[in-house]
Amino acid sequence: MLSVRLDEETERQLADILAHEQTEKSELIRRLIAERWLTLQAGKTLVERRGGHPEHLLQDAPMDLSERSNRKKAIAQYLNKRHS
């Protein structure tokens, strides 16, 4: 449970938002928190959102693996080795 003290002006603004959105306080707060959380996540890279690189994944990777053509070759070799 969450208790929040709001000043009169903020209470009026909340009432206006609730009337406009036609929702209840709990739902509005959940939605606002979710939207804000997504905004914070948008600044992170995919790797950061997923918790970082697995330590063993790039351990023996060649230095030039960041180039697309090299990654494609490495993936193709891995898949050929795995499915042959």
Side-chain angles (χ1 to χ4, degrees), residues 2 5 13 15 17 19-20 23 27 30-31 33-34 44 46-47 49 52 57 69 72-74 77 79 82 84:
L2 175 69
R5 293 183 185 194
Q13 292 170 343
I17 293 170
H20 183 269
T23 189
E27 176 59 30
R30 278 192 295 273
R31 200 170 63 227
I33 290 171
K44 295 182 179 179
L46 176 64
V47 171
R49 289 192 303 254
L57 180 65
S69 60
K72 287 177 83 172
K73 286 178 195 173
Q77 289 171 351
L79 291 174
R82 184 172 180 195
S84 55

Side-chain angles (χ1 to χ4, degrees), residues 5-56:
R5 293 183 185 194
L6 303 175
D7 58 51
E8 289 181 26
E9 180 182 349
T10 306
E11 280 279 351
R12 282 193 297 273
Q13 292 170 343
L14 176 59
D16 289 346
I17 293 170
L18 292 170
H20 183 269
E21 300 280 329
Q22 297 180 347
T23 189
E24 56 185 37
K25 288 180 187 179
S26 295
E27 176 59 30
L28 178 62
I29 291 170
R30 278 192 295 273
R31 200 170 63 227
L32 290 172
I33 290 171
E35 288 173 8
R36 177 66 177 161
W37 186 80
L38 287 173
T39 301
L40 292 173
Q41 296 302 307
K44 295 182 179 179
T45 65
L46 176 64
V47 171
E48 290 171 332
R49 289 192 303 254
R50 304 277 326 254
H53 289 290
E55 291 182 23
H56 66 280

